[in-house]
Amino acid sequence: MKRPNALFKDTLREIWKTRNRFLSILAIVALGTGFFAGIKATAPDMLQTADNYYARRHLMDIRLISTIGFDEDDVAAVRQTQGISGVQPSYTYDLYLQTDTVNECVKAISMGNLRAAADYLNRPVVTQGKLPTQPGECAVDAYAAQKAEIKVGDTITLAPAGDEKNLDDVLAQTAYTVVGLAQSPMYVSLDRGNTNVGNGQLSGFVLLSESSFVMPVYTDLFITLDYDAQTVTDADYDTLISAKSDELESVMTTSVTARYHDLLDEAKQKIEDAQTTLDEEETKARAELADAARELEDGRAKIKSGLSTYTQSKNTYQEAIAQAEEQLQNGQTEIDTKENELAQAHTLCSSLLAMGTDPATLSGAQGQALIAASGALNAQLPQLYAAYLADPTSVVLKAQIEQSLAALSASLSQSDAALAQAKTDLAQASVDLETQRAQGKKQLQNAWAKLQTAQQELADGEQSYAEGEQELEDKLAQGRADIAQARKDLADIDEPSFYVLDRTGNVGYTDFTDDALRVDAIAKIFPVFFILIAALVCLTTMTRMVEEQRTQIGTLKALGYSRGQIMIKYILYAVLASLLGALPGLAIGFTVLPKVIYDAYTMMYTVPDMVLPFRWDYALWCTLAAMVCTGAAALAACWRELTSTPAALMRPAAPKAGKRVLLEKVTFLWNRLSFLQKVTVRNLLRYRKRLLMSVLGVAGCTALMVAGFGLKDSISAILDLQFTDIIHYDVVAALDADVTEQRGTELSQYADSLPESREVLSVCQETLFVSGENGKKEATVTVPGDPSAFPDYVSLQTRVGRTPLTLGDSGVIINEKLSLLLGVKVGDTLHIHDTDRKTVDVTITGITENYVRNYVYMTPALYEALYGYAPQDNALLIRMNDSQDAAAFDAMAEQLLGQTDVLGVVNMRDSIESFRNVMKSLDKIVLVLIIAAGSLAFIVLYNLTNINVTERTREIATLKVLGFYDNESSAYINRENIISSFLGMLVGLAAGVLLHKFVVQTSEVDLVMFGRTLRATAFLYAGVLTMVFTFVVNAVFHFKLKKIDMVESLKSIE
Amino acid sequence: MSSFVQLEEVYKRYRMGEVTITASDGVTFAVEKGELAVIVGASGAGKTTVLNMLGGMDTCDEGHIWVDGADIAGYTPRQLTAYRRYDIGFVFQFYNLVQNLTARENVELATQICRDPMDAAQVLQQVGLGERMGNFPAQLSGGEQQRVSIARALAKRPKLLLCDEPTGALDDQTGKTILKLLQDTCRETGMTVIIITHNQAITPMADRVIRLKNSRVRDMVCNPSPVSVDQIEW
């Protein structure tokens, strides 16, 4: 084993002797492997850091949300599912956190810290203080607390942010003592998410003990699954999640839906009961009313008969009275007549008596009249008188007369008595009548009064009947309305929706993963390019080395060493350089690059310090690749020499013959060159291979820098392009999907009426799958309510040339990225898929410039033509008077969110802001790229120049002997360097365009299109940097050239 | 100081690790203007060190080196470069032509940096390469290449032509023609030529022979009647 040993020693000495070369290979390998491994490891490191954090903090795998909450039965049902390792039922509620100075919308979350360890999920990291265990204690989001200047020991107030007046149904109390500050694995992104209350933006979270909540049902179920976080692969995890999600969905379908139906049935039963009760009550009330009506009717009849009886009585009475009065009158008249007659009779009788029986008197006129009149008293008297007169002496007659007169007088007296009696009687009768009248009248009056009372009673009865009836109707109407409302409400209660969310539903989780993948996308192409350049340079260097060692190879061969033994030296040299280069490269690559990039990202995340595992697989592959590359390069370089005979090798290699170059034929140009320029041109073209290597190496680095700067430009271009040139609205208000057209119009007008808004456009936006030639992607189908106003909100235009596109009824306009993803162009057919509706085909009439998200734009008319009904507007695009005014936005957002049917309000400024942050972190990555590309450029240039110089040491020494000053001999070499670098730079700038295009396309995610144009500055920076590196390398070599000993020129050619 | 070239007690020491090697141990000699001098010595006798110092490629540690009245021992590196540039013509053992330049261009490489150079074509004509000046070194024989090398040295109109084993890489016959060229040049143009060689055989052609041994001048002999190269055999 002595010979290999000697060879090994020789190799070590060789390394020492050519340490610059060795170091340059080492450096290139270090840079290549370090960059490759570092960039490659960044994304896995980021993900692993996050995964470890999630595992340590028991981040939920699945989150269940239901519109009707969860009760213990649901929890039990979930627990019974196979493969579940923990379930934490939890309350969450969006509300205002208030202090004297702060009013922020936050999410109150109940803590599971008092539950069994397996069920204590989403464990917060306490940065200060402790976690709440008692009602009245809270822990505040450390990030939000820092912004709001809330400290441990402070008291905060929680207030409703939505429609409700107080939090009585939610929380046991509203004042809380801050006992700690915490970070949550649920919130790794500084973007805390959206809410449908307040200004629509959550500022953070506040953790409360479960006992602080008084809600009847849990709002969330957090679930962890049974798997080993250390060993599970992404694919397995995804499979597990999707399987368990389905299972839980079916469990919940059973459990929650059953409960929903119970609730529904209960509610239905209640309504039915109410209906029955109402019906019964109605019947009863109606019966009562009917009775009352009947009674009233009776009363009315009674009053009627009473009235007629009264009238009859009154008539009878009046008749009786009248009759009696008439009788009385008649009696009086009779009495008066009789009295008169009697008085006359008396007078007559007295006269008769007074006249006596004197015939003289009797025969007088007076007498005669009296005698004629006496007939009225007694018909016989005149005869008697007559007889007496005729026989005045007849005493009989006289006596008769006297007797008759006496009788008459007696009879008159009798009549007087009778008359008196009659008078008395009449008077009595009159008195009696009066009495009777009075009595009758009184009776009548009583009867009337009675009737009146009865009538009043009846009227009252009627009144109360009417009132009762009205009351009943009202009551019934109310009852019916209530029931109808209840029925309607019941009918309006949708089937309970429950959402099975996995971690991808978490903003922070998704963003962080996306960012890591973005790094990975960049890692796809840059490092490969890098390694390629490194390999190229290694090959050149090794080739040069073998050429230099020609004689020695020949000697060894002559001494009888086998090819393998000789080769081993060079391979060993190369492999050692790779190995030794790979070690620091990997060490630095694995630590510095992921750290720098991660730190750039942590500006936007609250995540723990990065884990930087040494990735043996990458390390091994990288080192192996580097060793194989350099080893193969060494082998390739050796091969030609080793196939020559020793004798040929011992002779100095025939110097590469000089040649005239093509340019010399272009005499007018050639003649203009100075002599030294001619020499340079010829030298450059003499070593074509090396020129090619130089040009390629430098070009690669320049291209990397162009791509780096270009990537930065492309990403930052999105901001200006998307939010200035394309999107003109400032705010999007999302409406309930079920909102009616009328309500939509109302809300639109309302938004328009707000002082902060300038104009409003209602649109219908649906996220649907669309497909074309090459695939199926999700896109937002946007149907503006008024297509003619749409350009004020979104500019539809071609990217190249900025030609405005008009939305027509004949087809849709889609964005460029979508067209690229789907492989479609104008005139092609786009299929729009929907689970609930048929798939429709539309023609693409335009492709518009757009950088964020994918859109399909169509007119309402087209929509209606496709689906058969008009689009239902579900979002409002709002342009504000001053889009920069955050306070105005908050005010408007609160107003809008105060409206029912407004689900959320998004400020485009926030989107811009979050983009800006993404870009800041990408800037750092780009900086890393540029620094790496720059160092690569430097090493490549150094190495190639080194080769150039070592190869031409003799020439340079000769020049020195000829009397070239140091700067002249430097210039002699450097001029070539500068020209090859310059050529490399030019090629690199051109290649940079392609590399940039490629990098931009590979590192883009589906939702984003980076700017496609390269700015002149990217070329400028990359070009200038390349030339700066060239000059730095030249400066370094100026000193190295100075050191070249002129004695070299005297040595024999090896 | 009367001589054109004069070395006085010139010492040059190299430190090789812990050992100090004295490469020039008080070398003293002189060469007159227009002479053809041969410095001869075995390997390791200190020829190259003398050449280096005389050629302005190295400095001495002690002593004086007078060339045309100037002591180059005290020159700065820059002055030395200027000295090489304007005063010295150098002919290498291995010609040291730039492979990528034609014969003429190789000469021009030197004339580019001179104040009053000869015309390249004319010099090449002079060394007998008038027909081949468009050829690249690889297309020329060794002797022809050495002629180009000499032409390059002469074109600068140097004060001193230093030749380091000019025949070392050539066959005898070609070597002779080169030596002849050097001798003729010396005779015809009055150029001071110093040839450094290990080959004792060529000493008869010199006006002056300086023998070195063990880093010292063993003897210096002036040859009043140098023979023509044609008559030398080795």
mmCIF file of all heavy atoms in Angstrom, chain A residues 658 660 675 682-683 686 954 958 960 962-965 968 1046 1049 1052, chain B residues 52 78 81-82 84-85 92 94 96 99-100 105 108 112-113 134 136 156:
data_model
loop_
_atom_site.group_PDB
_atom_site.id
_atom_site.type_symbol
_atom_site.label_atom_id
_atom_site.label_comp_id
_atom_site.label_asym_id
_atom_site.label_seq_id
_atom_site.Cartn_x
_atom_site.Cartn_y
_atom_site.Cartn_z
ATOM 1 N N GLY A 658 -1.716 29.502 -33.065
ATOM 2 C CA GLY A 658 -2.435 30.746 -33.267
ATOM 3 C C GLY A 658 -3.181 30.676 -34.581
ATOM 4 O O GLY A 658 -2.826 29.906 -35.468
ATOM 5 N N ARG A 660 -5.598 33.023 -37.498
ATOM 6 C CA ARG A 660 -6.233 34.294 -37.858
ATOM 7 C C ARG A 660 -7.725 34.164 -37.602
ATOM 8 O O ARG A 660 -8.270 33.083 -37.726
ATOM 9 C CB ARG A 660 -5.976 34.604 -39.321
ATOM 10 C CG ARG A 660 -4.518 34.907 -39.567
ATOM 11 C CD ARG A 660 -4.288 35.487 -40.931
ATOM 12 N NE ARG A 660 -2.848 35.698 -41.110
ATOM 13 C CZ ARG A 660 -2.228 36.787 -40.687
ATOM 14 N NH1 ARG A 660 -2.928 37.748 -40.085
ATOM 15 N NH2 ARG A 660 -0.939 36.931 -40.873
ATOM 16 N N PHE A 675 -3.042 47.517 -31.803
ATOM 17 C CA PHE A 675 -2.370 46.237 -31.824
ATOM 18 C C PHE A 675 -2.811 45.363 -30.669
ATOM 19 O O PHE A 675 -3.154 44.191 -30.835
ATOM 20 C CB PHE A 675 -0.857 46.468 -31.780
ATOM 21 C CG PHE A 675 -0.106 45.213 -31.590
ATOM 22 C CD1 PHE A 675 0.011 44.306 -32.646
ATOM 23 C CD2 PHE A 675 0.455 44.891 -30.369
ATOM 24 C CE1 PHE A 675 0.692 43.126 -32.479
ATOM 25 C CE2 PHE A 675 1.138 43.711 -30.200
ATOM 26 C CZ PHE A 675 1.251 42.822 -31.242
ATOM 27 N N ARG A 682 -7.758 38.134 -30.765
ATOM 28 C CA ARG A 682 -7.267 36.856 -31.216
ATOM 29 C C ARG A 682 -7.153 35.868 -30.054
ATOM 30 O O ARG A 682 -7.469 34.694 -30.188
ATOM 31 C CB ARG A 682 -5.933 37.020 -31.927
ATOM 32 C CG ARG A 682 -5.858 36.020 -33.060
ATOM 33 C CD ARG A 682 -4.564 36.095 -33.754
ATOM 34 N NE ARG A 682 -4.612 36.980 -34.906
ATOM 35 C CZ ARG A 682 -3.529 37.641 -35.330
ATOM 36 N NH1 ARG A 682 -2.401 37.559 -34.690
ATOM 37 N NH2 ARG A 682 -3.616 38.377 -36.395
ATOM 38 N N ASN A 683 -6.707 36.384 -28.937
ATOM 39 C CA ASN A 683 -6.606 35.514 -27.764
ATOM 40 C C ASN A 683 -7.961 34.949 -27.351
ATOM 41 O O ASN A 683 -8.102 33.786 -27.040
ATOM 42 C CB ASN A 683 -6.017 36.277 -26.588
ATOM 43 C CG ASN A 683 -4.505 36.260 -26.625
ATOM 44 O OD1 ASN A 683 -3.919 35.443 -27.345
ATOM 45 N ND2 ASN A 683 -3.892 37.147 -25.890
ATOM 46 N N ARG A 686 -8.927 32.422 -29.633
ATOM 47 C CA ARG A 686 -8.049 31.270 -29.639
ATOM 48 C C ARG A 686 -8.545 30.253 -28.626
ATOM 49 O O ARG A 686 -8.630 29.068 -28.895
ATOM 50 C CB ARG A 686 -6.642 31.715 -29.291
ATOM 51 C CG ARG A 686 -5.681 30.566 -29.268
ATOM 52 C CD ARG A 686 -4.335 31.084 -28.882
ATOM 53 N NE ARG A 686 -3.362 30.018 -28.831
ATOM 54 C CZ ARG A 686 -2.277 30.062 -28.076
ATOM 55 N NH1 ARG A 686 -2.072 31.122 -27.324
ATOM 56 N NH2 ARG A 686 -1.424 29.089 -28.087
ATOM 57 N N ARG A 954 3.650 32.039 -18.208
ATOM 58 C CA ARG A 954 4.859 32.185 -18.998
ATOM 59 C C ARG A 954 4.780 33.400 -19.914
ATOM 60 O O ARG A 954 5.709 34.196 -20.015
ATOM 61 C CB ARG A 954 5.014 30.913 -19.829
ATOM 62 C CG ARG A 954 6.323 30.793 -20.478
ATOM 63 C CD ARG A 954 6.299 29.538 -21.334
ATOM 64 N NE ARG A 954 7.565 29.470 -22.026
ATOM 65 C CZ ARG A 954 8.687 29.091 -21.443
ATOM 66 N NH1 ARG A 954 8.682 28.721 -20.172
ATOM 67 N NH2 ARG A 954 9.814 29.077 -22.112
ATOM 68 N N THR A 958 7.000 36.673 -19.682
ATOM 69 C CA THR A 958 7.728 37.143 -20.861
ATOM 70 C C THR A 958 7.440 38.620 -21.112
ATOM 71 O O THR A 958 8.335 39.406 -21.377
ATOM 72 C CB THR A 958 7.324 36.314 -22.092
ATOM 73 O OG1 THR A 958 7.507 34.939 -21.789
ATOM 74 C CG2 THR A 958 8.153 36.693 -23.301
ATOM 75 N N LYS A 960 6.597 40.748 -18.998
ATOM 76 C CA LYS A 960 7.281 41.537 -17.987
ATOM 77 C C LYS A 960 8.742 41.713 -18.347
ATOM 78 O O LYS A 960 9.300 42.796 -18.210
ATOM 79 C CB LYS A 960 7.162 40.847 -16.631
ATOM 80 C CG LYS A 960 5.786 40.954 -16.022
ATOM 81 C CD LYS A 960 5.829 40.429 -14.610
ATOM 82 C CE LYS A 960 4.647 40.904 -13.829
ATOM 83 N NZ LYS A 960 4.833 40.622 -12.405
ATOM 84 N N LEU A 962 9.894 41.674 -21.222
ATOM 85 C CA LEU A 962 9.933 42.598 -22.351
ATOM 86 C C LEU A 962 9.775 44.036 -21.894
ATOM 87 O O LEU A 962 9.941 44.955 -22.663
ATOM 88 C CB LEU A 962 8.833 42.270 -23.352
ATOM 89 C CG LEU A 962 9.052 41.015 -24.211
ATOM 90 C CD1 LEU A 962 7.913 40.859 -25.198
ATOM 91 C CD2 LEU A 962 10.374 41.108 -24.960
ATOM 92 N N GLY A 963 9.417 44.194 -20.650
ATOM 93 C CA GLY A 963 9.338 45.539 -20.117
ATOM 94 C C GLY A 963 7.934 46.114 -20.035
ATOM 95 O O GLY A 963 7.751 47.313 -19.977
ATOM 96 N N PHE A 964 6.944 45.245 -19.996
ATOM 97 C CA PHE A 964 5.580 45.745 -19.774
ATOM 98 C C PHE A 964 5.461 46.198 -18.333
ATOM 99 O O PHE A 964 5.900 45.494 -17.420
ATOM 100 C CB PHE A 964 4.548 44.638 -20.041
ATOM 101 C CG PHE A 964 4.156 44.504 -21.488
ATOM 102 C CD1 PHE A 964 5.118 44.252 -22.450
ATOM 103 C CD2 PHE A 964 2.826 44.630 -21.878
ATOM 104 C CE1 PHE A 964 4.770 44.116 -23.783
ATOM 105 C CE2 PHE A 964 2.474 44.510 -23.208
ATOM 106 C CZ PHE A 964 3.442 44.246 -24.165
ATOM 107 N N TYR A 965 4.894 47.360 -18.120
ATOM 108 C CA TYR A 965 4.613 47.784 -16.764
ATOM 109 C C TYR A 965 3.503 46.903 -16.202
ATOM 110 O O TYR A 965 2.737 46.282 -16.949
ATOM 111 C CB TYR A 965 4.171 49.252 -16.725
ATOM 112 C CG TYR A 965 5.294 50.210 -17.000
ATOM 113 C CD1 TYR A 965 5.308 51.000 -18.136
ATOM 114 C CD2 TYR A 965 6.363 50.309 -16.096
ATOM 115 C CE1 TYR A 965 6.346 51.884 -18.382
ATOM 116 C CE2 TYR A 965 7.412 51.187 -16.346
ATOM 117 C CZ TYR A 965 7.405 51.966 -17.484
ATOM 118 O OH TYR A 965 8.436 52.816 -17.731
ATOM 119 N N GLU A 968 0.200 47.501 -17.541
ATOM 120 C CA GLU A 968 0.095 47.094 -18.939
ATOM 121 C C GLU A 968 -0.125 45.583 -19.044
ATOM 122 O O GLU A 968 -0.964 45.129 -19.812
ATOM 123 C CB GLU A 968 1.353 47.486 -19.704
ATOM 124 C CG GLU A 968 1.369 48.954 -20.067
ATOM 125 C CD GLU A 968 2.709 49.391 -20.630
ATOM 126 O OE1 GLU A 968 3.730 48.715 -20.355
ATOM 127 O OE2 GLU A 968 2.735 50.393 -21.345
ATOM 128 N N MET A 1046 9.314 36.789 -12.989
ATOM 129 C CA MET A 1046 9.767 36.785 -14.381
ATOM 130 C C MET A 1046 10.600 35.543 -14.705
ATOM 131 O O MET A 1046 10.749 35.153 -15.856
ATOM 132 C CB MET A 1046 10.585 38.038 -14.651
ATOM 133 C CG MET A 1046 9.708 39.231 -14.895
ATOM 134 S SD MET A 1046 10.629 40.742 -14.958
ATOM 135 C CE MET A 1046 10.882 41.069 -13.240
ATOM 136 N N SER A 1049 9.570 32.808 -16.992
ATOM 137 C CA SER A 1049 9.756 32.872 -18.440
ATOM 138 C C SER A 1049 10.987 32.077 -18.882
ATOM 139 O O SER A 1049 11.134 31.736 -20.043
ATOM 140 C CB SER A 1049 9.885 34.322 -18.884
ATOM 141 O OG SER A 1049 11.039 34.884 -18.268
ATOM 142 N N SER A 1052 11.653 25.810 -18.625
ATOM 143 C CA SER A 1052 11.260 25.069 -19.817
ATOM 144 C C SER A 1052 9.757 24.814 -19.771
ATOM 145 O O SER A 1052 9.132 24.854 -18.720
ATOM 146 C CB SER A 1052 12.006 23.750 -19.887
ATOM 147 O OG SER A 1052 11.625 22.949 -18.788
ATOM 148 N N ASN B 52 19.566 37.283 -14.335
ATOM 149 C CA ASN B 52 18.381 37.924 -13.769
ATOM 150 C C ASN B 52 18.695 39.345 -13.322
ATOM 151 O O ASN B 52 17.925 40.271 -13.580
ATOM 152 C CB ASN B 52 17.850 37.135 -12.575
ATOM 153 C CG ASN B 52 17.103 35.878 -13.011
ATOM 154 O OD1 ASN B 52 16.845 35.702 -14.206
ATOM 155 N ND2 ASN B 52 16.785 35.005 -12.069
ATOM 156 N N ARG B 78 9.879 49.945 -10.690
ATOM 157 C CA ARG B 78 9.374 50.625 -11.870
ATOM 158 C C ARG B 78 10.517 51.045 -12.796
ATOM 159 O O ARG B 78 10.428 50.907 -14.018
ATOM 160 C CB ARG B 78 8.555 51.837 -11.444
ATOM 161 C CG ARG B 78 7.762 52.390 -12.594
ATOM 162 C CD ARG B 78 6.739 53.398 -12.238
ATOM 163 N NE ARG B 78 6.248 53.944 -13.501
ATOM 164 C CZ ARG B 78 5.330 53.369 -14.263
ATOM 165 N NH1 ARG B 78 4.789 52.231 -13.883
ATOM 166 N NH2 ARG B 78 4.954 53.914 -15.396
ATOM 167 N N THR B 81 11.596 48.093 -14.605
ATOM 168 C CA THR B 81 10.726 47.776 -15.738
ATOM 169 C C THR B 81 11.092 48.646 -16.927
ATOM 170 O O THR B 81 11.226 48.164 -18.051
ATOM 171 C CB THR B 81 9.243 47.973 -15.364
ATOM 172 O OG1 THR B 81 8.981 47.268 -14.177
ATOM 173 C CG2 THR B 81 8.322 47.492 -16.455
ATOM 174 N N ALA B 82 11.293 49.929 -16.656
ATOM 175 C CA ALA B 82 11.664 50.851 -17.730
ATOM 176 C C ALA B 82 13.005 50.432 -18.330
ATOM 177 O O ALA B 82 13.194 50.487 -19.546
ATOM 178 C CB ALA B 82 11.741 52.271 -17.191
ATOM 179 N N ARG B 84 14.215 47.389 -18.456
ATOM 180 C CA ARG B 84 13.975 46.220 -19.311
ATOM 181 C C ARG B 84 13.346 46.653 -20.617
ATOM 182 O O ARG B 84 13.630 46.154 -21.685
ATOM 183 C CB ARG B 84 13.009 45.225 -18.626
ATOM 184 C CG ARG B 84 13.576 44.497 -17.453
ATOM 185 C CD ARG B 84 12.742 43.288 -17.122
ATOM 186 N NE ARG B 84 11.366 43.565 -16.818
ATOM 187 C CZ ARG B 84 10.928 43.912 -15.612
ATOM 188 N NH1 ARG B 84 11.780 44.002 -14.602
ATOM 189 N NH2 ARG B 84 9.666 44.158 -15.415
ATOM 190 N N ARG B 85 12.485 47.607 -20.473
ATOM 191 C CA ARG B 85 11.689 48.035 -21.614
ATOM 192 C C ARG B 85 12.544 48.700 -22.680
ATOM 193 O O ARG B 85 12.380 48.424 -23.864
ATOM 194 C CB ARG B 85 10.640 48.990 -21.101
ATOM 195 C CG ARG B 85 9.567 49.383 -22.060
ATOM 196 C CD ARG B 85 8.503 50.146 -21.284
ATOM 197 N NE ARG B 85 7.402 50.499 -22.135
ATOM 198 C CZ ARG B 85 6.139 50.400 -21.736
ATOM 199 N NH1 ARG B 85 5.857 49.923 -20.540
ATOM 200 N NH2 ARG B 85 5.175 50.764 -22.529
ATOM 201 N N PHE B 92 15.220 34.240 -25.215
ATOM 202 C CA PHE B 92 14.976 33.145 -24.286
ATOM 203 C C PHE B 92 15.412 31.810 -24.867
ATOM 204 O O PHE B 92 15.391 31.624 -26.083
ATOM 205 C CB PHE B 92 13.488 33.058 -23.954
ATOM 206 C CG PHE B 92 12.938 34.298 -23.319
ATOM 207 C CD1 PHE B 92 12.416 35.324 -24.096
ATOM 208 C CD2 PHE B 92 12.922 34.426 -21.938
ATOM 209 C CE1 PHE B 92 11.900 36.454 -23.511
ATOM 210 C CE2 PHE B 92 12.396 35.569 -21.353
ATOM 211 C CZ PHE B 92 11.882 36.584 -22.130
ATOM 212 N N PHE B 94 13.639 29.155 -24.673
ATOM 213 C CA PHE B 94 12.465 28.545 -25.319
ATOM 214 C C PHE B 94 11.672 29.560 -26.135
ATOM 215 O O PHE B 94 10.473 29.447 -26.292
ATOM 216 C CB PHE B 94 11.586 27.860 -24.282
ATOM 217 C CG PHE B 94 12.333 26.777 -23.537
ATOM 218 C CD1 PHE B 94 12.798 26.991 -22.236
ATOM 219 C CD2 PHE B 94 12.617 25.563 -24.152
ATOM 220 C CE1 PHE B 94 13.502 25.996 -21.568
ATOM 221 C CE2 PHE B 94 13.329 24.582 -23.483
ATOM 222 C CZ PHE B 94 13.777 24.782 -22.180
ATOM 223 N N ASN B 96 9.872 31.831 -26.077
ATOM 224 C CA ASN B 96 8.789 32.585 -25.430
ATOM 225 C C ASN B 96 8.042 33.502 -26.394
ATOM 226 O O ASN B 96 7.754 34.639 -26.109
ATOM 227 C CB ASN B 96 9.321 33.409 -24.258
ATOM 228 C CG ASN B 96 9.736 32.524 -23.120
ATOM 229 O OD1 ASN B 96 9.920 31.312 -23.305
ATOM 230 N ND2 ASN B 96 9.865 33.092 -21.942
ATOM 231 N N GLN B 99 2.067 32.528 -28.779
ATOM 232 C CA GLN B 99 1.604 31.590 -29.795
ATOM 233 C C GLN B 99 0.492 32.164 -30.662
ATOM 234 O O GLN B 99 0.304 31.754 -31.788
ATOM 235 C CB GLN B 99 1.096 30.302 -29.123
ATOM 236 C CG GLN B 99 2.172 29.497 -28.448
ATOM 237 C CD GLN B 99 3.185 28.978 -29.449
ATOM 238 O OE1 GLN B 99 2.835 28.545 -30.548
ATOM 239 N NE2 GLN B 99 4.464 29.052 -29.096
ATOM 240 N N ASN B 100 -0.176 33.077 -30.109
ATOM 241 C CA ASN B 100 -1.367 33.573 -30.795
ATOM 242 C C ASN B 100 -1.044 34.751 -31.706
ATOM 243 O O ASN B 100 -1.939 35.343 -32.273
ATOM 244 C CB ASN B 100 -2.417 33.967 -29.765
ATOM 245 C CG ASN B 100 -3.801 33.936 -30.333
ATOM 246 O OD1 ASN B 100 -4.043 33.226 -31.299
ATOM 247 N ND2 ASN B 100 -4.683 34.708 -29.754
ATOM 248 N N GLU B 105 3.787 40.058 -35.530
ATOM 249 C CA GLU B 105 3.093 40.616 -34.365
ATOM 250 C C GLU B 105 3.882 40.410 -33.082
ATOM 251 O O GLU B 105 3.855 41.253 -32.186
ATOM 252 C CB GLU B 105 1.697 39.994 -34.245
ATOM 253 C CG GLU B 105 0.734 40.520 -35.281
ATOM 254 C CD GLU B 105 -0.481 39.629 -35.492
ATOM 255 O OE1 GLU B 105 -0.494 38.507 -34.942
ATOM 256 O OE2 GLU B 105 -1.384 40.052 -36.204
ATOM 257 N N GLU B 108 6.110 43.086 -33.033
ATOM 258 C CA GLU B 108 5.360 44.311 -32.732
ATOM 259 C C GLU B 108 5.023 44.424 -31.251
ATOM 260 O O GLU B 108 4.944 45.514 -30.711
ATOM 261 C CB GLU B 108 4.086 44.363 -33.560
ATOM 262 C CG GLU B 108 4.332 44.776 -34.991
ATOM 263 C CD GLU B 108 3.095 44.692 -35.858
ATOM 264 O OE1 GLU B 108 2.123 44.004 -35.437
ATOM 265 O OE2 GLU B 108 3.076 45.289 -36.921
ATOM 266 N N GLN B 112 5.702 47.937 -29.805
ATOM 267 C CA GLN B 112 4.575 48.726 -29.296
ATOM 268 C C GLN B 112 4.981 49.589 -28.117
ATOM 269 O O GLN B 112 4.441 50.660 -27.904
ATOM 270 C CB GLN B 112 3.456 47.785 -28.816
ATOM 271 C CG GLN B 112 2.620 47.180 -29.910
ATOM 272 C CD GLN B 112 1.601 48.158 -30.421
ATOM 273 O OE1 GLN B 112 0.985 48.862 -29.645
ATOM 274 N NE2 GLN B 112 1.467 48.230 -31.732
ATOM 275 N N ILE B 113 5.885 49.055 -27.295
ATOM 276 C CA ILE B 113 6.130 49.718 -26.031
ATOM 277 C C ILE B 113 7.454 50.499 -26.047
ATOM 278 O O ILE B 113 7.870 51.029 -25.027
ATOM 279 C CB ILE B 113 6.140 48.698 -24.883
ATOM 280 C CG1 ILE B 113 7.155 47.578 -25.141
ATOM 281 C CG2 ILE B 113 4.752 48.102 -24.668
ATOM 282 C CD1 ILE B 113 7.355 46.666 -23.953
ATOM 283 N N GLY B 134 4.242 36.458 -41.645
ATOM 284 C CA GLY B 134 2.804 36.294 -41.403
ATOM 285 C C GLY B 134 2.470 34.990 -40.711
ATOM 286 O O GLY B 134 1.310 34.731 -40.410
ATOM 287 N N PHE B 136 2.369 31.976 -37.827
ATOM 288 C CA PHE B 136 2.283 31.847 -36.374
ATOM 289 C C PHE B 136 3.435 30.986 -35.899
ATOM 290 O O PHE B 136 3.944 30.155 -36.655
ATOM 291 C CB PHE B 136 0.947 31.210 -35.982
ATOM 292 C CG PHE B 136 -0.197 32.159 -36.116
ATOM 293 C CD1 PHE B 136 -1.018 32.118 -37.234
ATOM 294 C CD2 PHE B 136 -0.448 33.092 -35.122
ATOM 295 C CE1 PHE B 136 -2.068 32.997 -37.372
ATOM 296 C CE2 PHE B 136 -1.504 33.977 -35.253
ATOM 297 C CZ PHE B 136 -2.312 33.936 -36.371
ATOM 298 N N LYS B 156 13.708 46.510 -30.429
ATOM 299 C CA LYS B 156 13.597 47.561 -29.427
ATOM 300 C C LYS B 156 14.805 48.496 -29.435
ATOM 301 O O LYS B 156 14.839 49.464 -28.696
ATOM 302 C CB LYS B 156 13.485 46.911 -28.034
ATOM 303 C CG LYS B 156 12.177 46.197 -27.805
ATOM 304 C CD LYS B 156 12.251 45.209 -26.651
ATOM 305 C CE LYS B 156 12.338 45.910 -25.316
ATOM 306 N NZ LYS B 156 12.283 44.937 -24.199
#
